[in-house]
Amino acid sequence: MKFFVYFAQLSIAFVACRLTGIPGSVATRHHQISEQLASCRAQRLINALLLGCGLFCGYASATTPSENCAAALPGWTENAVKKISLNLGLAESRLLVCNREVLAAQHALEAAEADRVTAGQRPNPNLTLGASNINLHAGVGAGPVQDKTIDSSLRLDQLVERGGKGVLREQQADAMVKAARADGHDVLRQQRLLLRQNYFELLFQQARIDMQREFVRYAHESLSAAEQRLKVGDIALSEANRFRLDEMRAQNDLRQAETDARKAQLELAKSIGAEASAFDIGVQPAKLPDLDTSVFPARAQLEQRPDLVAATNRVEAAEAARELARSIATRDVTVSAQFDRWPASTVNPQGTGNSFGLYFSIPLSVRHANEGEVKRAATDLRIARDFVVRVETQAKAEVRLYLNGWQAATDRVARIERSILPLAREVARAAEFAYSKGATTALDLLDARRNLKQIELDSAQANSDAGKAWAQWCASTEMTTEVKP
């Protein structure tokens, strides 16, 4: 069973990567929304298969996370320095079986299903055995045990629930199971968003390290050239010191970039349960889909967002809980049947022999009528309904906000790469040429280099921000029907 689940997960991830290069772009789409949403929803379809495989196969075999996640995932490639090269599709295939928040949500679903079993159970009867009227002074008489002068009793008690309490408990538990399942989808949605954001952050930090190393190499070469010119008297000591300061600053920037990259590696490793190999993880570039600003989910689709589905299911559970609290007014009855045997003897001629008894008991609402439970249940229902309104409002706002954010990030990338970065490179080349001819000072040259360095970092940061904005947009439009097992 474990091998089957494992093989299925890897096969699905492989097909996704072969088709798209990143999660997205298979042709599973709702007719109300244009092709743009498919870029996000393709990965959700993949995760639906993974989630269904995990729910119906993987977790039924009681597989622990450590069994699947302790070792490096097959399919990860290692280069000569033992660095793990990870793509986005493979990282997300590991998310389902290794992310601790997702696994906790699965356990919460199992707990809700256990509560449903409990809710469907009716009260068990109670069996009571007793012996009384034992007179130690007069004795219990002669003869066999069944003729001893002891009042023996056997009593059976059964609570009979009235007012449909059992059915209401089942309805409440069913709603909580559906809410727990939707919570699992929502946790998966949020953790996928976090993983993608961590992925693009690490991608930026890798680019930043590469740039800083190039800046260090360039600063070192410039410093060597400046020192040679200082020896022959072409430049002043103050001008050479500027190159020394620039080289030391580049070294510090590289060290800081390496530190930030380790933090990003650890955050990504947490998302995929690979903390032990965190500092060996590297990520590959991921191509984002084109932006289509006309895309917007319909209201009926937005209502299928996992967090909104979970909130709606909790309203159903609260309604059942309110009716259950009201049903307390219909009093339950305890029915009892008793058999007594009290033989008569010369020691105790007052024995009654065999006798039967039938009893009924009901609670008396003398001091209260469970008003507190009814009021609390009604308040919980109002809270649940208010929460649905809040979640729905927030979901609508997020869709608009993240679509605008993705559009702004895409525009920023285009502006930097098409206009600002080429211009900065041209300015830097002109400054290098002018300095080589003695037309400008070292300060002007270093300013041009720093400006180019900052713009190149801005370009890498803008691409990372665009990836994060795409991830937010995908998360805001993810529907439960897309990940339903």
Side-chain angles (χ1 to χ4, degrees):
M1 179 66 73
K2 296 177 184 178
F3 176 79
F4 170 74
V5 176
Y6 189 58
F7 178 77
Q9 292 163 347
L10 291 182
S11 300
I12 294 167
F14 175 77
V15 171
C17 296
R18 293 284 295 175
L19 285 176
T20 66
I22 65 164
S25 78
V26 297
T28 300
R29 301 170 176 87
H30 292 287
H31 67 278
Q32 297 93 338
I33 299 182
S34 69
E35 258 184 12
Q36 185 64 40
L37 282 180
S39 62
C40 299
R41 295 187 175 178
Q43 181 62 25
R44 299 171 197 157
L45 178 61
I46 295 167
N47 284 302
L49 299 175
L50 290 171
L51 182 60
C53 187
L55 281 173
F56 294 108
C57 300
Y59 298 105
S61 61
T63 300
T64 61
S66 59
E67 294 175 355
N68 287 335
C69 304
L73 188 65
W76 290 15
T77 58
E78 298 185 6
N79 58 26
V81 293
K82 302 298 182 183
K83 293 294 183 181
I84 300 171
S85 182
L86 186 65
N87 61 49
L88 188 54
L90 188 56
E92 294 192 15
S93 70
R94 189 176 170 91
L95 177 70
L96 178 67
V97 293
C98 299
N99 184 275
R100 290 172 177 80
E101 296 298 326
V102 174
L103 294 174
Q106 293 293 339
H107 297 324
L109 174 58
E110 293 170 3
E113 291 172 342
D115 291 339
R116 172 60 181 85
V117 174
T118 302
Q121 296 170 343
R122 299 300 181 262
N124 285 321
N126 292 326
L127 178 64
T128 305
L129 299 176
S132 60
N133 292 321
I134 301 174
N135 192 326
L136 298 179
H137 177 71
V140 295
V145 175
Q146 63 270 22
D147 294 333
K148 298 295 185 182
T149 311
I150 299 175
D151 187 1
S152 304
S153 63
L154 184 147
R155 182 184 181 97
L156 189 66
D157 300 284
Q158 175 64 60
L159 176 65
V160 179
E161 292 183 316
R162 301 171 62 239
K165 296 182 179 68
V167 175
L168 290 171
R169 278 199 306 269
E170 292 176 357
Q171 292 176 357
Q172 182 183 13
D174 286 336
M176 291 305 296
V177 168
K178 291 189 292 184
R181 184 172 291 110
D183 283 339
H185 295 318
D186 190 48
V187 169
L188 183 60
R189 177 182 72 94
Q190 295 176 10
Q191 291 301 312
R192 187 185 299 115
L193 168 60
L194 183 60
L195 180 145
R196 288 173 174 175
Q197 290 180 325
N198 292 334
Y199 187 96
F200 286 109
E201 177 63 24
L202 180 55
L203 192 62
F204 163 68
Q205 295 299 339
Q206 289 179 171
R208 181 184 171 196
I209 287 178
D210 292 339
M211 292 178 190
Q212 294 294 355
R213 286 174 178 167
E214 181 66 19
F215 297 151
V216 168
R217 184 189 64 80
Y218 201 45
H220 182 72
E221 292 176 355
S222 298
L223 176 59
S224 298
E227 288 176 343
Q228 291 296 327
R229 296 182 64 184
L230 178 63
K231 289 179 181 179
V232 299
D234 285 349
I235 61 174
L237 178 61
S238 60
E239 191 166 341
N241 286 338
R242 289 191 178 97
F243 286 99
R244 292 191 181 96
L245 289 173
D246 190 64
E247 196 268 344
M248 288 186 286
R249 184 183 293 111
Q251 291 283 359
N252 287 338
D253 291 344
L254 174 60
R255 187 69 184 91
Q256 184 61 48
E258 292 172 342
T259 300
D260 293 342
R262 284 185 171 270
K263 293 178 182 178
Q265 285 176 316
L266 182 57
E267 291 302 318
L268 178 60
K270 289 178 181 178
S271 296
I272 58 177
E275 290 90 336
S277 304
F279 301 133
D280 296 326
I281 294 177
V283 294
Q284 302 172 9
K287 186 179 183 306
L288 299 180
D290 295 330
L291 174 66
D292 183 358
T293 57
S294 64
V295 175
F296 206 80
R299 175 184 175 87
Q301 291 175 314
L302 195 60
E303 291 176 351
Q304 294 302 314
R305 250 184 55 155
D307 51 349
L308 189 54
V309 171
T312 303
N313 290 331
R314 285 192 167 84
V315 170
E316 296 178 10
E319 290 173 345
R322 182 190 60 180
E323 297 303 317
L324 182 60
R326 290 175 175 176
S327 70
I328 298 177
T330 304
R331 304 173 191 179
D332 298 335
V333 176
T334 301
V335 180
S336 304
Q338 182 169 321
F339 169 75
D340 288 282
R341 177 177 173 77
W342 192 12
S345 67
T346 56
V347 177
N348 182 16
Q350 298 179 355
T352 59
N354 297 335
S355 60
F356 297 89
L358 188 63
Y359 306 91
F360 296 90
S361 65
I362 59 173
L364 299 178
S365 301
V366 176
R367 294 183 175 87
H368 65 84
N370 303 102
E371 298 88 353
E373 288 87 342
V374 176
K375 185 175 181 180
R376 175 57 187 266
T379 302
D380 289 342
L381 177 57
R382 288 195 295 270
I383 293 173
R385 287 173 175 169
D386 292 342
F387 186 71
V388 168
V389 175
R390 184 171 65 182
V391 172
E392 184 177 7
T393 304
Q394 180 179 347
K396 293 178 181 178
E398 284 181 355
V399 170
R400 295 183 181 277
L401 175 65
Y402 294 146
L403 181 59
N404 292 334
W406 186 14
Q407 182 178 10
T410 303
D411 292 343
R412 183 185 176 209
V413 170
R415 191 179 305 110
I416 291 177
E417 293 183 347
R418 296 173 185 174
S419 302
I420 299 177
L421 188 57
L423 182 60
R425 288 171 177 166
E426 180 64 27
V427 170
R429 283 194 294 267
E432 296 282 352
F433 179 78
Y435 182 75
S436 66
K437 300 299 182 181
T440 58
T441 64
L443 185 60
D444 295 331
L445 174 62
L446 293 177
D447 285 342
R449 288 179 178 177
R450 293 191 194 104
N451 186 52
L452 176 60
K453 169 185 173 181
Q454 186 58 52
I455 291 175
E456 288 180 343
L457 288 173
D458 289 345
S459 177
Q461 182 68 70
N463 280 281
S464 176
D465 292 342
K468 295 176 182 178
W470 166 78
Q472 289 178 319
W473 159 247
C474 288
S476 68
T477 57
E478 184 169 317
M479 310 304 169
T480 301
T481 53
E482 296 168 356
V483 293
K484 185 176 180 180

